[in-house]
């Protein structure tokens, strides 16, 4: 459970830090970033928002581009951003940007050569929170959010582990990966041909199959070039209606898939989570 600090920077009187540790789940060295608000002290532990980033990203994209720190500091919310996949020598990879390192899809791979390292679901759900709670002044109260591939991860992890989180939000999530090119490619390689196993990692399939009690906020830009082919928010809405899940989908006119979009609405997402983290 030992961690090593690789960088730190003061921001809004609070701290952003990067750490590295040896992951048992992923069988490799992993880096994560954490934002600790001023309220985080040994006598005043704060709740955590876990942020999952998208394809080709790392722990740095959200922390550097989202502009979340002022509001998170005001609200007293810590933010933890893991990397998007295992990395390093000996970790399986692919020439495509949408498979392999940088494209872990937040699942537990079952197929060779991926299963040796690509256990991101276990890492995010179990190992990382245990590590964070053991080493930082945070409580076990947490929510989860993400963008694109990370939005897919946030939704599926929250739906599958409703007792562990207070709320979930996403920007431009891959809502129905079993039926889009990104998801079919990733699932075929990581999980094989078992479509029943695919459904465990598909937010639309999960919402249609069982009740979801957690509040969900999803923002989607209507100028997103990936909207129709890859993201499929309509499938998410239709699935949520089956069991009356508390989904708020906001189509945002003129916004694309970028961090300009995320930075515009991240404050609203943080305040959404704060309502449930502070309850």
């Amino acid at each position: 459970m030992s961690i090593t600090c690789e960088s730190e920077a003061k921001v809004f009187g609070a701290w952003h830090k990067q750490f590295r540790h040896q992951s048992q789940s992923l069988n490799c060295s992993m880096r994560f970033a954490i934002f600790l608000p001023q309220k985080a002290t040994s006598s005043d532990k704060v709740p955590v928002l876990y942020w999952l980033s998208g394809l080709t990203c790392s722990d740095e994209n959200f922390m550097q581009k989202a502009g979340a720190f002022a509001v998170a500091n005001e609200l007293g919310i810590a933010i933890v951003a893991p990397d998007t996949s295992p990395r390093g020598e000996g970790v399986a990879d692919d020439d495509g940007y949408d498979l392999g390192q940088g494209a872990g899809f937040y699942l537990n791979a079952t197929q060779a050569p991926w299963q040796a390292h690509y256990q991101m679901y276990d890492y995010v759900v179990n190992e990382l929170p245990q590590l964070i709670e053991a080493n930082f002044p945070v409580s076990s109260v947490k929510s989860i959010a993400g963008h694109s591939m990370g939005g897919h991860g946030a939704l599926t992890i929250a739906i599958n582990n409703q007792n562990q989180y207070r709320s979930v939000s996403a920007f431009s999530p891959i809502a129905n990966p079993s039926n889009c090119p990104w998801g079919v490619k990733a699932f075929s390689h990581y999980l094989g041909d078992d479509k029943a196993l695919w459904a465990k990692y598909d937010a639309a399939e999960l919402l249609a199959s069982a009740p979801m009690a957690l509040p969900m906020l999803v923002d989607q830009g209507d100028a997103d070039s990936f909207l129709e082919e890859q993201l499929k928010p309509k499938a998410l809405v239709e699935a949520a209606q089956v069991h009356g899940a508390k989904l708020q989908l906001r189509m945002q006119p003129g916004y694309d898939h970028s961090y300009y979009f995320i930075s515009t609405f991240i404050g609203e997402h943080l305040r959404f989570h704060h309502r449930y983290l502070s309850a």
Side-chain angles (χ1 to χ4, degrees):
M1 297 288 281
S2 63
I3 60 175
T4 302
C5 184
E6 292 196 338
S7 72
E8 61 180 19
K10 195 170 187 179
V11 53
F12 293 104
W15 288 95
H16 169 270
K17 301 183 180 186
Q18 286 178 309
F19 290 86
R20 185 167 294 278
H21 72 107
Q22 186 66 29
S23 168
Q24 295 181 355
S25 301
L26 305 177
N27 193 28
C28 67
S29 175
M30 285 292 286
R31 190 177 71 186
F32 66 86
I34 184 168
F35 170 76
L36 288 168
Q38 289 173 289
K39 292 179 182 178
T41 65
S42 58
S43 60
D44 189 10
K45 294 184 177 182
V46 298
V48 183
L49 177 66
Y50 286 84
W51 174 269
L52 306 183
S53 289
L55 289 167
T56 75
C57 293
S58 70
D59 63 291
E60 294 184 329
N61 297 72
F62 177 84
M63 294 302 204
Q64 294 179 1
K65 297 179 180 180
F69 297 150
V71 175
N73 190 50
E74 171 197 336
L75 299 176
I77 298 173
I79 302 173
V80 172
D83 203 345
T84 52
S85 78
R87 298 183 195 264
E89 186 177 352
V91 175
D93 201 6
D94 186 82
D95 291 337
Y97 75 94
D98 52 356
L99 184 70
Q101 296 187 32
F105 270 82
Y106 305 102
L107 50 73
N108 287 339
T110 61
Q111 303 299 301
W114 312 102
Q115 83 272 32
H117 298 281
Y118 285 74
Q119 306 293 317
M120 286 297 295
Y121 182 93
D122 281 351
Y123 179 71
V124 172
V125 172
N126 299 312
E127 183 178 1
L128 185 60
Q130 291 173 14
L131 187 73
I132 297 300
E133 291 164 24
N135 287 277
F136 300 99
V138 303
S139 70
S140 60
V141 177
K142 56 186 179 288
S143 292
I144 192 166
H147 171 231
S148 194
M149 178 185 73
H152 139 77
L155 289 170
T156 56
I157 285 172
I159 296 167
N160 282 320
N161 301 275
Q162 297 182 42
N163 62 325
Q164 293 193 35
Y165 301 94
R166 296 288 183 86
S167 53
V168 57
S169 73
F171 290 86
S172 316
I174 304 173
N176 190 200
S178 299
N179 293 298
C180 77
W182 279 340
V184 169
K185 179 178 179 179
F187 286 6
S188 297
H189 282 82
Y190 294 144
L191 303 173
D193 298 328
D194 184 355
K195 297 295 181 67
L197 185 55
W198 290 22
K200 178 182 176 181
Y201 303 106
D202 187 310
E205 295 284 346
L206 290 168
L207 286 178
S209 65
M212 167 61 166
L214 297 180
M216 296 178 284
L217 172 64
V218 174
D219 272 324
Q220 172 64 62
D222 71 1
D224 191 323
S225 61
F226 303 115
L227 178 59
E228 297 300 329
E229 182 181 28
Q230 302 283 13
L231 305 178
K232 302 184 181 298
K234 292 179 182 178
L236 193 68
V237 172
E238 292 172 359
Q241 293 171 347
V242 174
H243 295 284
K246 295 181 287 186
L247 169 67
Q248 181 183 12
L249 172 69
R250 308 190 305 187
M251 295 299 300
Q252 302 291 3
Y255 286 92
D256 60 14
H257 200 71
S258 72
Y259 268 84
Y260 297 112
F261 171 44
I262 294 171
S263 65
T264 302
F265 298 102
I266 190 60
E268 295 179 24
H269 280 239
L270 288 167
R271 296 186 189 282
F272 163 79
H273 289 295
H274 181 253
R275 292 201 299 271
Y276 303 100
L277 291 169
S278 59

